[in-house]
Amino acid sequence: GTGWDEIYYGEMQELKNLATKKVAVFGLGDQISYAENYADATGELHDVLNTLGCNMLGQTSMEGYEHEESKAIRGDKFCGLLCDAVNQSEMSEKRVKDWVKQLLAEGILETGGAASVAEPAAVKSVAIPD
C-alpha cells in the first residue's frame, strides 16, 4: 500500500453526488526508472472515480511511451493523460494541448440532464492555441 490508499479507499468513498460527473485524470511519472509501474496512481485514481459513478473521459494512446507495465492501462490505451517530464519533457506541451482538445470534443464542458448546473458564461468558449 501507499499513503494514497487511505484517501482512495477511505475518504474518497464518502464522496457524494459524483454519479455521472464528467471526469478525466492525468499523471506525471518517469517511465524509464519506474517502467514496471509507470503512473500506477493515475490508474488507481481512475478506478476509484469510475467506481463512484463518474463518467470517465480522456483516454490516450500509449504510442511513443517506453514503459513496461502500468495500472493506468485500459485495453490498448492509458486511462488519461500521462506525461514524463524526466525523459520526454519536450513532448508534454503537445500532449497536453491535444488532450484538452480531445476532452472538449468528448464534451467535458457540456451539461445535460436534470441535475446539471448551468455552465458559466466564461467557460462556454475555450480556445486552445496550436
Side-chain angles (χ1 to χ4, degrees):
T2 69
W4 286 102
D5 288 351
E6 183 178 321
I7 295 169
Y8 286 163
Y9 307 107
E11 295 173 30
M12 286 185 71
Q13 299 305 310
E14 299 172 18
L15 294 174
K16 306 291 183 220
N17 302 320
L18 290 181
T20 72
K21 298 292 184 194
K22 296 175 184 177
V23 177
V25 294
F26 66 92
L28 304 172
D30 178 344
Q31 64 186 307
I32 304 300
S33 298
Y34 298 94
E36 294 167 4
N37 56 1
Y38 175 56
D40 278 356
T42 305
E44 290 186 35
L45 179 59
H46 174 278
D47 291 347
V48 168
L49 292 167
N50 190 49
T51 298
L52 291 171
C54 295
N55 180 10
M56 303 305 296
L57 305 175
Q59 289 191 345
T60 58
S61 171
M62 293 189 299
E63 186 176 331
Y65 291 84
E66 301 175 35
H67 68 288
E68 294 173 20
E69 295 290 331
S70 175
K71 290 181 182 179
I73 297 172
R74 302 293 176 278
D76 63 347
K77 295 184 179 269
F78 286 128
C79 63
L81 174 65
L82 300 184
C83 291
D84 182 342
V86 175
N87 304 290
Q88 295 180 334
S89 61
E90 72 285 354
M91 300 173 88
S92 294
E93 184 174 349
K94 180 178 182 338
R95 285 177 172 161
V96 169
K97 286 180 179 180
D98 289 347
W99 190 58
V100 169
K101 288 178 185 176
Q102 175 186 333
L103 291 173
L104 293 171
E106 290 179 5
I108 197 158
L109 296 180
E110 295 172 11
T111 59
S116 295
V117 175
E119 184 177 338
V123 182
K124 285 187 178 179
S125 177
V126 178
I128 306 298
D130 291 325

